[in-house]
């Protein structure tokens, strides 16, 4: 019998093809991971080129271009860490996809920063440390440069670690730390800083209180009513009208001040008109949306998806108006100081500086935002569209009010405070609401369920609706942010001043 011929060529087998497929998937993953840093670097280069086109002096050009790049880097970190508060609640409530949330936040962040970002930028620029008679232009340049770089680095570390820290705390801590390093404690405007610090303490409490109040209204007048759909048809147009009217009045009085001068009565009247129009427009829309829905809470969640998207957009606008100052305030102070001018709280921030901040925030959000969106929206307390609506609207109201007053509050504190406020209120409401107690008794036929649950303290503790571990972790991150950014900024100031001064 003839011997079989030995094949010298090795046949391709499925295992080899699988290896090729795995290699291709791995290379695609690497390309995706490298895409975000590449796009971020491209934006920084564009920021530098954009700043260079507005520089008039060749002597100061290198410093301004470098400052623009650092401000752009700071803005991207704000977008990655801070803007998550705007849409985290909506994503956590499954009211919108991550892609939709990112797109809405990016558009309205830019609008808020460009239209209403100047007021708070002035406080960051000239309201933290003394310039005239204490520091001088050259010291101001390196104080603000050190504050920008150290704050951006700290926020970058926090974002990588998954901690939603306050970018406002970071930049103000950086300015204070570098100011003290430059000229001692007398360089800091302590009374102004005390007012800002007070607003930091009040804003999460105010956000939590407003969110809990909104939720209490919804529970009393819609959720625990016999006919939930009829109650929603009655009250939801009112809620949307008040929201739209208040935002219109804010736009007229604060955000559009650079475009036109509108008196307070005119602004309030315009808000009332728009609110009334929205009420009558949304009334038939709510009716159509509610047709055929069952009389249960799941139906209400569907009705609240569109209002929640509106609230998330409003909050993104408010955040852009308030937090763009964290990147642009120091940049504006640097540009003024290099021109030999000490910035005051009436110095306008140029439009090109606002543009760098606005675009940087949106790019940072799109590239690096999803991670912390999940922390805020899903890991503190369980949110549905109704609770998320309360969180977003309460945060927007608080941040818009602070922006109107020129206070650089922390939108992170406010949004997280609102989330905790909703969770703690639900814990209290479940144990103490007579309306809910009566409603559940009628539906279940039980009469002693509350008494039984309240005597079992282990069960009450197990059923807590707010994760205390996240509460303590986030508060700890807030407390350490100011001293950490201040210390880092002071060290960086000594390095920069030693090299360039």
């Amino acid at each position: 019998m003839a011997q079989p011929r030995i094949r010298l060529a090795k046949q391709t087998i499925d295992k080899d093809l699988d290896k090729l497929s795995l290699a291709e998937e791995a290379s695609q993953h690497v390309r995706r991971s490298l895409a975000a840093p590449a796009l971020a670097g491209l934006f920084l280069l564009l920021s530098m080129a954009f700043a260079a086109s507005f520089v008039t002096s060749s002597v100061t050009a290198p410093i301004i271009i470098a400052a623009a790049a650092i401000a752009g880097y700071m803005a991207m970190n704000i977008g990655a860490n801070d803007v998550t508060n705007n849409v985290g609640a909506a994503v956590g409530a499954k009211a919108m996809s991550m892609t939709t949330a990112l797109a809405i936040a990016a558009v309205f962040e830019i609008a808020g920063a460009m239209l209403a970002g100047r007021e708070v930028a002035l406080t960051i620029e000239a309201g933290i440390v003394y310039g005239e008679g204490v520091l001088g232009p050259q010291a101001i340049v390196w104080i603000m440069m050190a504050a920008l770089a150290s704050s951006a680095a700290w926020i970058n570390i926090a974002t990588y670690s998954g901690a939603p820290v306050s970018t406002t705390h970071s930049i103000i801590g950086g300015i204070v730390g570098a100011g003290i390093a430059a000229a001692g404690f007398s360089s800091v405007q302590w009374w102004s800083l005390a007012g800002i610090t007070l607003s930091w303490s009040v804003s999460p409490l105010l956000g939590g209180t407003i969110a809990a109040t909104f939720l209490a209204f919804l529970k009393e007048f819609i959720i625990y009513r016999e006919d939930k759909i009829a109650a929603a048809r009655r009250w939801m147009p009112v809620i949307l009208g008040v929201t739209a009217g208040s935002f219109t009045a804010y736009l007229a009085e604060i955000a559009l001040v650079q475009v036109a001068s509108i008196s307070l009565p005119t602004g309030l009247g315009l808000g009332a008109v728009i609110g009334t129009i929205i009420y009558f427009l949304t009334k038939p829309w709510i009716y159509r949306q509610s047709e055929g829905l069952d009389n249960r809470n799941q139906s209400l969640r569907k009705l609240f998806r569109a209002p929640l998207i509106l609230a998330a957009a409003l909050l993104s606008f408010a955040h852009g108006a308030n937090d763009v100052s964290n990147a642009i305030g120091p940049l504006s102070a640097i540009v003024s100081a290099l021109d030999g001018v000490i910035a005051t709280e009436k110095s306008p921030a140029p439009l090109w500086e606002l543009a760098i901040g606005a675009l940087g925030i949106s790019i940072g959000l799109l590239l690096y935002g999803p991670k912390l969106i999940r922390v805020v929206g899903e890991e503190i307390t369980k949110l549905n569209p109704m609770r998320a609506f309360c969180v977003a609207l309460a945060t927007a109201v608080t941040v818009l009010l602070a922006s109107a007053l020129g206070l650089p509050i922390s939108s992170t504190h406010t949004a997280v405070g609102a989330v905790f406020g909703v969770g703690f209120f639900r814990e209290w409401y479940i144990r103490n609401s007579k309306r809910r107690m009566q409603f559940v008794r009628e539906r279940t036929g039980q009469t002693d369920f509350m008494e039984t649950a309240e005597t079992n303290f282990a069960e009450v503790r197990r059923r807590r609706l707010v994760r205390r571990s996240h509460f303590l972790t986030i508060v700890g991150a807030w407390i350490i942010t100011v001293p950490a950014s201040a210390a880092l900024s002071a060290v960086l100031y000594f390095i920069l001043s030693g090299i360039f001064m």
Side-chain angles (χ1 to χ4, degrees):
M1 172 181 273
Q3 295 291 328
R5 298 177 64 184
I6 298 174
R7 294 180 180 271
L8 298 178
K10 187 176 180 180
Q11 291 182 319
T12 301
I13 58 177
D14 292 341
K15 185 185 293 186
D16 296 322
L17 293 175
D18 290 339
K19 290 179 181 179
L20 290 174
S21 298
L22 289 173
E24 184 178 0
E25 290 177 7
S27 64
Q28 289 176 352
H29 178 75
V30 171
R31 286 198 296 269
R32 283 195 298 268
S33 64
L34 293 176
L39 291 173
L42 178 60
F43 169 72
L44 296 183
L45 291 175
L46 291 175
S47 297
M48 295 168 69
F50 194 50
S53 66
F54 287 91
V55 175
T56 57
S57 172
S58 59
V59 177
T60 60
I63 299 177
I64 293 177
I65 292 171
I70 298 174
Y73 173 55
M74 175 67 172
M76 284 194 294
N77 279 285
I78 293 172
N81 191 287
D82 227 15
V83 182
T84 57
N85 307 315
N86 307 350
V87 294
V91 173
K94 306 293 190 295
M96 66 175 78
S97 66
M98 183 70 73
T99 302
T100 302
L102 293 173
I104 289 174
V107 171
F108 282 89
E109 282 284 336
I110 292 174
M114 297 299 292
L115 291 175
R118 286 181 171 87
E119 190 70 28
V120 183
L122 298 180
T123 302
I124 296 292
E125 179 180 352
I128 309 300
V129 293
Y130 290 105
E132 195 69 42
V134 178
L135 293 170
Q138 191 175 16
I140 289 290
V141 169
W142 301 114
I143 286 173
M144 294 300 176
M145 195 79 83
L148 267 179
S150 60
S151 301
W154 170 253
I155 298 166
N156 201 336
I157 294 170
T159 304
Y160 182 79
S161 304
V165 300
S166 169
T167 59
T168 306
H169 283 203
S170 300
I171 191 62
I172 291 181
I175 294 174
V176 169
I180 293 174
F185 289 91
S186 61
S187 65
V188 180
Q189 300 185 37
W190 293 108
W191 282 111
S192 176
L193 188 61
I196 295 170
T197 305
L198 180 62
S199 72
W200 290 349
S201 304
V202 171
S203 62
L205 297 176
L206 184 59
T209 302
I210 294 175
T213 302
F214 284 154
L215 185 58
F217 176 86
L218 295 181
K219 285 182 177 293
E220 289 294 308
F221 290 95
I222 299 179
I223 297 174
Y224 289 114
R225 292 286 173 173
E226 190 65 29
D227 191 341
K228 303 175 189 292
I229 303 302
R233 289 171 176 173
R234 181 183 307 114
W235 287 109
M236 285 188 64
V238 175
I239 294 171
L240 292 173
V242 171
T243 302
S246 302
F247 183 52
T248 301
Y250 167 80
L251 279 177
E253 286 301 307
I254 305 299
L256 301 181
V257 68
Q258 301 293 330
V259 180
S261 179
I262 300 175
S263 65
L264 179 60
T266 302
L268 294 176
L270 185 61
V273 170
I274 296 298
T276 303
I277 292 173
I278 294 298
Y279 169 80
F280 285 108
L281 287 178
T282 57
K283 196 174 180 66
W285 180 80
I286 292 293
Y287 187 89
R288 288 194 302 271
Q289 293 292 314
S290 62
E291 285 184 327
L293 294 179
D294 296 331
N295 187 34
R296 58 196 185 106
N297 287 346
Q298 190 64 37
S299 300
L300 295 178
R301 294 172 183 176
K302 294 179 181 179
L303 292 177
F304 267 91
R305 285 178 180 170
L308 177 55
I309 292 173
L310 173 64
L314 172 59
L315 178 54
S316 295
F317 184 98
H319 179 271
N322 191 278
D323 279 31
V324 72
S325 61
N326 297 336
I328 296 313
L331 174 61
S332 184
I334 291 170
V335 174
S336 297
L338 289 173
D339 289 338
V341 178
I342 296 294
T344 68
E345 291 189 63
K346 293 184 179 180
S347 305
L351 195 61
W352 69 268
E353 296 173 7
L354 289 172
I356 290 176
L359 293 174
I361 288 175
S362 295
I363 290 172
L365 166 68
L366 295 173
L367 295 180
Y368 300 105
K371 181 178 181 179
L372 287 184
I373 285 177
R374 295 187 179 93
V375 172
V376 174
E378 299 175 3
E379 297 183 11
I380 295 175
T381 189
K382 187 176 180 181
L383 294 173
N384 61 25
M386 289 170 285
R387 298 170 203 148
F389 174 78
C390 296
V391 169
L393 191 57
T395 307
V397 169
T398 306
V399 175
L400 285 173
L401 179 62
S403 298
L405 298 175
L407 292 174
I409 69 168
S410 169
S411 59
T412 302
H413 283 205
T414 308
V416 175
V419 173
F420 280 118
V422 163
F424 286 129
F425 171 77
R426 289 179 62 215
E427 290 183 357
W428 176 89
Y429 191 85
I430 286 172
R431 293 193 299 268
N432 298 281
S433 170
K434 294 181 179 179
R435 177 176 293 279
R436 179 186 179 278
M437 201 182 304
Q438 182 64 28
F439 182 88
V440 176
R441 280 171 176 164
E442 291 175 356
R443 290 299 178 92
T444 62
Q446 297 182 16
T447 58
D448 61 347
F449 65 93
M450 286 295 291
E451 290 80 1
T452 301
E454 287 181 347
T455 57
N456 188 346
F457 294 106
E459 178 67 11
V460 170
R461 185 178 183 86
R462 187 185 69 81
R463 291 171 60 106
R464 281 176 173 174
L465 301 177
V466 179
R467 296 182 181 177
R468 267 62 173 178
S469 60
H470 282 290
F471 177 80
L472 296 175
T473 300
I474 291 173
V475 170
W478 289 352
I479 292 173
I480 198 175
T481 292
V482 171
S485 57
L488 185 59
S489 182
V491 172
L492 189 56
Y493 173 80
F494 283 125
I495 295 173
L496 293 175
S497 60
I499 296 173
F500 298 104
M501 290 180 65

